[in-house]
């Protein structure tokens, strides 16, 4: 963000580097491919740094380096149109080769720019090979000896798995690296980075524990258990400037915890925009998510019909994904035309209007490394209903009243069951309907700190241990 992004990783790399730079304690530089998605507005600001050729097995590939400084961070864009001038960021038959090129280019670039960082921090499988190449191919060259590495797992489901036949031809590695690269009989880039990195982190403390187990690790549990001494979890933050209900120009009416009555204007505006009956007094539920099972969509499908049928509520769904869920929600809209809107698309601006409008936000993920939507929803004054997993567990604590003390900042449940989701959603609706309880809870929710400040400090501490 804001150059090219498809999901949460894009959000994190759009805000963590600036937060690190803002501490004044680090010179932060981000390297990314020069994707086709980069708009002309940004392209015009690029400065040409250098050009060189990247050795990748028998290949000899052009690499242009362009830079841009934003919010105290230097961004380097690596240009090669054969690899990156494509209709999407990833999802191509040759992704293995594309990211091998990228990782090798990152290491080459250090020498060409004479900039050897103290810490190389690689994110997810696409960047995993940079850590591997540093250890296996570059370590003995002058300048590279002291670089330390952190590898961050944003989602362990995507590991970068390939057949061994391309170990030499595409990945430029040999039999010496066979054991390092191997998991379950195939090349596994994430596994190799976990082995090579000095520290491995993931995006919430809870997920760092979960991925030590077979239930969550997608086959990497033994690798992680073996490396658990270097594993930690640091909760993500969100961009408090981009997500700011007090100054957001993209929403109908700005508001704060002290002017919650203004939030209702956003609901009326969204109802108008989507053709739902315009009513302030009806609680609006929302789901903003990739429509995939592991986001808990099956739980929603299990119980949402009953919730909509039995309650005076509205439901807005935004997202695309698996066809069966797209059909499910479109069908639900047909059945309840006055209550349900299924917006089968990915639209950042629209998502902010929904966050601002909605009263209750549903996020019952099966697994969730961190999750940002529950934080964004909270910032925009929506009560989160979440399943207790990963970052959802770390960021949202159960609401309950003990005498005059209020605990928690949302509604949570542990089992993977539609019935529990339904029951907690009913409880959230009940609190929303009680004006005093609603005000007290929303004030607390909106004041919960999900900014990057604390987490950026944690990353600096992690770097310092190296
Ligand atoms: C991935 C995870 C998500 C996390 C994001 C940023 O998209 O699935 O839980 O919030 O990365 O770290």
């Amino acid at each position: 963000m804001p150059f090219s992004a498809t999901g949460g990783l894009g959000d994190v790399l759009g805000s963590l580097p600036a937060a690190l730079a803002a501490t004044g304690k680090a010179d932060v530089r981000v390297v990314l491919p020069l994707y086709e998605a980069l708009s002309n507005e940004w392209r015009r600001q690029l400065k040409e740094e250098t050009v060189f050729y990247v050795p990748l097995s028998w290949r000899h590939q052009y690499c242009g380096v362009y830079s841009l400084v934003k919010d105290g961070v230097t961004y380097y864009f690596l240009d090669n149109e054969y690899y990156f001038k494509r209709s999407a960021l990833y999802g191509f038959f040759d992704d293995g080769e594309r990211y091998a090129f990228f990782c090798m280019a990152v290491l080459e670039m250090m020498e060409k720019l004479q900039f050897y960082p103290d810490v190389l921090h690689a994110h997810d499988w696409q960047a995993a090979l940079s850590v591997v190449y540093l250890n296996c191919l570059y370590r003995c060259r002058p300048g590279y000896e002291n670089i330390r590495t952190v590898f961050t797992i944003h989602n362990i489901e995507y590991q970068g798995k390939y057949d061994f036949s391309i170990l030499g031809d595409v990945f430029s590695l040999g039999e010496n690296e066979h054991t390092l690269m191997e998991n379950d009989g195939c090349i596994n880039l994430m596994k190799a980075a976990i082995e090579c990195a000095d520290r491995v982190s993931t995006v919430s403390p809870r997920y760092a524990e979960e991925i030590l187990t077979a239930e969550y690790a997608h086959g990497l549990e033994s690798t992680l258990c073996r490396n658990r001494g270097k594993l930690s979890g640091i909760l993500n933050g969100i961009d408090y400037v981009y997500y700011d209900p007090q100054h957001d120009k993209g929403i109908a009416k700005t508001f704060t915890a002290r002017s919650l009555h203004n939030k209702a204007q956003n609901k009326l505006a969204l109802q108008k925009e989507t053709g739902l009956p315009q009513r302030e007094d009806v609680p609006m539920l929302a789901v903003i998510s990739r429509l995939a099972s592991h986001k808990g969509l099956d739980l929603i499908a299990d119980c949402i019909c009953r919730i909509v049928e039995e309650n005076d509520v509205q439901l807005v769904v935004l997202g695309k994904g698996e066809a069966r869920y797209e059909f499910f929600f479109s069908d639900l809209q047909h059945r309840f035309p006055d209550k349900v809107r299924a917006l089968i698309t990915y639209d950042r601006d629209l998502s902010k209007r929904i966050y601002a409008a909605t009263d209750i936000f549903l996020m019952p993920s099966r697994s969730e490394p961190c999750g940002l939507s529950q934080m964004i929803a909270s910032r925009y004054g929506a009560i989160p209903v979440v399943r207790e997993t990963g970052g959802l567990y770390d960021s949202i604590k159960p609401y309950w009243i003990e005498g005059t003390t209020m605990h928690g900042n949302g509604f949570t449940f542990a089992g993977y069951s539609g019935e529990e989701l339904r029951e907690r959603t009913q409880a959230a609706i009940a609190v929303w309907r009680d004006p005093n309880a609603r005000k007290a809870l929303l004030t607390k929710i909106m004041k919960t700190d999900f900014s990057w400040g604390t987490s950026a400090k944690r990353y600096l501490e992690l770097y310092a241990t190296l």
Side-chain angles (χ1 to χ4, degrees):
M1 278 291 288
F3 307 122
S4 42
T6 57
L9 170 63
D11 271 282
V12 171
L13 272 291
S15 41
L16 170 62
L20 290 170
T23 64
K25 292 185 180 146
D27 171 1
V28 189
R29 310 193 188 186
V30 178
V31 199
L32 70 163
L34 204 171
Y35 287 117
E36 181 64 3
L38 189 70
S39 71
N40 284 334
E41 190 195 333
W42 291 117
R43 276 173 200 260
R44 276 194 288 275
Q45 300 176 40
L46 295 182
K47 174 176 158 234
E48 191 175 334
E49 290 282 347
T50 184
V51 166
F52 55 86
Y53 283 79
V54 179
L56 192 64
S57 185
W58 48 270
R59 296 171 194 79
H60 188 64
Q61 295 283 24
Y62 167 90
C63 181
V65 181
Y66 294 87
S67 70
L68 183 161
V69 179
K70 183 177 174 292
D71 301 332
V73 178
T74 303
Y75 290 86
Y76 293 116
F77 297 84
L78 302 191
D79 176 37
N80 176 303
E81 294 197 344
Y82 168 67
Y83 287 130
F84 301 127
K85 193 177 164 65
R86 309 236 179 141
S87 57
L89 306 196
Y90 49 79
F92 300 97
F93 78 98
D94 58 347
D95 279 356
E97 182 180 327
R98 296 170 73 225
Y99 291 106
F101 164 80
F102 173 68
C103 291
M104 198 73 93
V106 168
L107 289 159
E108 285 292 310
M109 188 188 91
M110 293 175 185
E111 191 206 317
K112 301 297 184 289
L113 297 183
Q114 283 296 301
F115 173 71
Y116 298 100
D118 298 310
V119 178
L120 169 68
H121 188 165
H123 296 264
D124 267 357
W125 76 263
Q126 289 94 337
L129 278 169
S130 64
V131 179
V132 177
Y133 289 156
L134 174 63
N135 274 22
C136 298
L137 306 177
Y138 285 80
R139 194 54 97 186
C140 53
R141 301 194 197 174
Y144 295 87
E145 313 92 318
N146 294 321
I147 300 174
R148 295 288 175 257
T149 52
V150 178
F151 179 65
T152 294
I153 301 169
H154 290 262
N155 194 331
I156 204 160
E157 247 183 283
Y158 310 102
Q159 301 172 359
K161 295 183 188 178
Y162 294 93
D163 189 89
F164 260 104
S165 60
I166 64 170
L167 183 67
D169 188 66
V170 171
F171 294 132
S172 254
L173 297 167
E175 272 312 298
N176 277 350
E177 286 84 33
H178 193 109
T179 311
L180 168 67
M181 304 302 293
E182 196 266 345
N183 195 60
D184 254 346
C186 56
I187 295 177
N188 188 312
L189 304 181
M190 185 174 267
K191 182 254 179 175
I194 293 168
E195 299 284 9
C196 288
D198 294 306
R199 295 284 185 277
V200 177
S201 79
T202 184
V203 286
S204 70
R206 179 71 163 204
Y207 195 61
E209 290 169 23
E210 288 173 344
I211 57 177
L212 294 170
T213 66
E215 192 187 339
Y216 287 93
H218 291 266
L220 289 183
E221 57 277 9
S222 55
T223 302
L224 282 160
C225 286
R226 195 168 51 246
N227 287 282
R228 72 187 300 169
K230 57 191 192 192
L231 178 65
S232 63
I234 300 176
L235 195 69
N236 287 331
I238 55 171
D239 186 332
Y240 260 39
V241 177
Y242 182 72
Y243 295 113
D244 179 4
Q246 193 178 356
H247 298 107
D248 196 332
K249 292 201 174 67
I251 62 176
K253 179 98 186 159
T254 56
F255 60 98
T256 65
R258 255 170 282 119
S259 57
L260 273 171
H261 50 281
N262 286 337
K263 180 176 162 70
Q265 297 300 317
N266 291 290
K267 181 157 66 184
L268 292 171
L270 187 76
Q271 288 165 334
K272 186 163 178 213
E273 181 180 346
T274 58
L276 283 168
Q278 277 187 281
R279 284 173 51 200
E280 241 185 71
D281 64 326
V282 59
M284 182 183 277
L285 318 184
V287 176
I288 301 178
S289 171
R290 205 150 31 85
L291 302 182
S293 295
H294 74 251
K295 292 286 180 189
L297 267 289
D298 44 348
L299 296 194
I300 296 177
D302 256 10
C303 68
I304 201 70
C305 221
R306 203 172 142 197
I307 295 175
V308 172
E309 217 162 41
E310 291 179 358
N311 294 276
D312 181 19
V313 293
Q314 294 180 343
L315 168 74
V316 175
V317 178
L318 174 69
K320 38 184 197 176
E322 292 169 26
R324 56 184 162 145
Y325 296 120
E326 296 188 353
F327 286 129
F328 175 84
F329 288 113
S330 303
D331 182 56
L332 200 68
Q333 172 173 334
H334 274 289
R335 290 176 58 194
F336 302 98
D338 285 343
K339 288 183 159 183
V340 176
R341 281 300 169 271
L343 309 165
I344 307 300
T345 171
Y346 171 83
D347 182 334
R348 276 190 100 86
D349 296 335
L350 175 57
S351 79
K352 287 219 279 183
R353 297 200 290 281
I354 300 175
Y355 284 120
T358 198
D359 300 303
I360 294 167
F361 187 77
L362 308 183
M363 194 166 177
S365 307
R366 179 184 285 276
S367 76
E368 195 60 73
C370 176
L372 305 172
S373 307
Q374 80 280 17
M375 301 182 188
I376 302 168
S378 301
R379 178 111 163 113
Y380 281 83
I383 303 170
V385 180
V386 307
R387 196 168 156 264
E388 293 163 11
T389 183
L392 295 174
Y393 172 88
D394 288 322
S395 57
I396 308 297
K397 295 295 172 196
Y399 167 84
W400 59 288
I401 299 289
E402 183 186 32
T404 53
T405 315
M406 177 176 62
H407 295 274
N409 59 340
F411 289 80
T412 75
F413 61 98
Y416 196 71
S417 105
E419 188 46 31
E420 284 184 50
L421 170 61
R422 192 189 66 79
E423 196 272 318
R424 290 291 82 197
T425 306
Q426 290 293 159
I429 294 172
V431 167
W432 189 87
R433 286 200 188 285
D434 173 343
N436 291 332
R438 180 205 309 180
K439 188 158 186 254
L441 177 57
L442 281 183
T443 305
K444 180 151 182 227
I445 286 176
M446 288 187 73
K447 287 191 175 147
T448 309
D449 184 10
F450 292 125
S451 66
W452 267 109
T454 320
S455 301
K457 266 195 222 117
R458 296 260 151 76
Y459 276 107
L460 287 177
E461 284 159 20
L462 181 70
Y463 301 148
T465 65
L466 295 172

